Amino acid sequence: MDNTTWLANHTGGSDFILLGFFSQSTHPALLCVVIFVIFLMTLFGNIILILLIHSNAHLHTPMYFFISQLSLMDMMYISVTVPKMLLDKIIGVKKISVPECGIQMFLYLTLVGSEFFLLAAMSYDRYLAICHPLRYPVLMNHRICLLLASGCWFLGSVDGFMLTPITMTFPFCRSREIHHFFCEVPAIMKLSCSDTSLIETLMYLCCVLMLLIPVTVISSSYSFILLTIYRMTSAEGRKKALTTCSSHMTVVTLFYGAAIYTYMIPSSYHTPEKDMVVSFFYTILTPVLNPLIYSLRNKDVTGALKKMLNTGSFKVL
């Protein structure tokens, strides 16, 4: 069946219906307020972190450059899902058009895929800083930082460009109700009346590659880091290295754990309720936790924040 026939027979201009969280909640108004507060906290926390990094000369290092990129990704991908969900609740509409669904899916896949690789780049940066401190300024200069960040964004967009068109060109002749709060690939595939085994296999292989490569980089980096920390004679240096690395590993565990469940665990183990809870965890809670993890446990960031509060203004460089 060609795309023209598919569009005429199956899409017909009809919209999807996002059932979302609120239909499952006994207190939807309260849940809406909680999600709105989390959304504002995410935007505020990540914006403050980005401004601190750009305004304080002491934070102009590769590590904080990557953290600012992480904050940018977090703000963008929570903005892809939450405003639409809250607005639909307020105005009493649950519909999303097919083009809007495709755009939301593409942006989400791109941002999440980019973050997979960015977390790997951050671990590689920590490996160079701790294991090769003398060569670190040369090995991780500004140009290399830009190349790594650009590569992360590019690889994430490849994920979006590959999975979105395939998913959205399936014929949807079953119920138009999506048991989710946004257009996530597994939830959309359940609506198709055709055989989805091929795309499920492709998605699995894609996620294996997108997870395997970063996880290999992260595991290798932290194996060498732990070995180097063990050999350190300075107790202060060991403590600082462990604090920095533990913050990063906390973020990695939260993000990758939820992603592995969503995209790599067989569909027979999934239920709509479990999928929404896991997606809520890593699309809404993780972005608000990241600035807390990287600021409250980091003396450089807390020091810059105190300085900013004392002066009462930012000096943007």
Side-chain angles (χ1 to χ4, degrees):
M1 181 181 294
D2 59 31
N3 288 342
T4 304
T5 305
W6 173 80
L7 287 170
N9 292 342
H10 297 283
T11 309
S14 61
D15 298 331
F16 292 117
I17 299 173
L18 291 168
L19 297 181
F21 273 115
F22 303 119
S23 61
Q24 308 288 330
S25 174
T26 54
H27 303 286
L30 177 61
L31 180 59
C32 183
V33 171
V34 170
I35 293 175
F36 180 63
V37 170
I38 292 173
F39 177 65
L40 291 181
M41 288 175 61
T42 300
L43 293 184
F44 180 77
N46 283 291
I47 287 172
I48 290 295
L49 191 56
I50 290 173
L51 290 176
L52 282 174
I53 291 170
H54 283 275
S55 65
N56 193 301
H58 294 291
L59 302 182
H60 291 178
T61 63
M63 182 179 78
Y64 292 109
F65 169 76
F66 289 125
I67 289 176
S68 69
Q69 291 291 304
L70 180 66
S71 291
L72 179 61
M73 290 178 185
D74 285 342
M75 285 194 301
M76 290 178 68
Y77 84 69
I78 196 174
S79 298
V80 168
T81 58
V82 171
K84 164 71 176 170
M85 177 172 60
L86 295 177
L87 184 61
D88 286 353
K89 172 59 182 173
I90 293 170
I91 64 178
V93 175
K94 296 182 179 180
K95 292 182 178 180
I96 183 170
S97 68
V98 174
E100 288 174 339
C101 186
I103 292 171
Q104 187 182 62
M105 182 185 295
F106 169 75
L107 292 174
Y108 174 79
L109 288 171
T110 296
L111 292 165
V112 172
S114 299
E115 189 156 331
F116 284 156
F117 291 102
L118 182 67
L119 291 172
M122 292 172 72
S123 67
Y124 177 66
D125 168 69
R126 290 300 81 207
Y127 159 72
L128 292 179
I130 295 172
C131 300
H132 303 282
L134 298 179
R135 300 172 60 197
Y136 178 65
V138 177
L139 295 173
M140 193 58 73
N141 56 43
H142 185 64
R143 178 173 172 272
I144 292 176
C145 287
L146 290 175
L147 286 173
L148 284 174
S150 300
C152 293
W153 285 98
F154 172 75
L155 291 171
S157 67
V158 170
D159 186 37
F161 277 117
M162 184 167 59
L163 291 181
T164 303
I166 297 174
T167 304
M168 297 306 296
T169 49
F170 272 105
F172 303 115
C173 48
R174 293 178 183 170
S175 169
R176 312 292 289 191
E177 294 182 347
I178 302 173
H179 291 270
H180 217 301
F181 59 92
F182 71 100
C183 292
E184 192 167 32
V185 176
I188 295 294
M189 287 196 303
K190 291 177 182 178
L191 305 182
S192 177
C193 54
S194 62
D195 183 14
T196 60
S197 58
L198 180 60
I199 188 176
E200 288 178 2
T201 303
L202 177 64
M203 184 175 69
Y204 180 82
L205 293 175
C206 178
C207 291
V208 165
L209 290 175
M210 293 199 69
L211 288 170
L212 183 61
I213 295 173
V215 166
T216 301
V217 173
I218 291 169
S219 302
S220 301
S221 297
Y222 278 99
S223 296
F224 287 113
I225 287 171
L226 291 174
L227 185 61
T228 302
I229 290 174
Y230 177 76
R231 294 172 177 173
M232 283 183 177
T233 56
S234 170
E236 183 179 350
R238 183 181 299 174
K239 182 180 178 181
K240 184 177 180 180
L242 282 173
T243 301
T244 303
C245 295
S246 61
S247 298
H248 184 242
M249 285 306 298
T250 302
V251 174
V252 167
T253 303
L254 292 173
F255 194 75
Y256 278 79
I260 289 171
Y261 169 84
T262 302
Y263 291 99
M264 296 187 67
I265 299 296
S267 58
S268 57
Y269 292 91
H270 289 241
T271 65
E273 293 75 20
K274 285 182 181 179
D275 289 349
M276 279 196 287
V277 169
V278 173
S279 294
F280 178 86
F281 184 80
Y282 79 94
T283 61
I284 298 176
L285 289 185
T286 302
V288 76
L289 291 175
N290 284 349
L292 296 176
I293 292 170
Y294 283 113
S295 60
L296 295 179
R297 302 188 64 186
N298 191 303
K299 292 182 179 179
D300 294 332
V301 174
T302 53
L305 181 60
K306 289 177 183 177
K307 184 179 178 181
M308 183 269 296
L309 292 174
N310 290 334
T311 57
S313 61
F314 286 100
K315 181 182 178 183
V316 181
L317 298 180

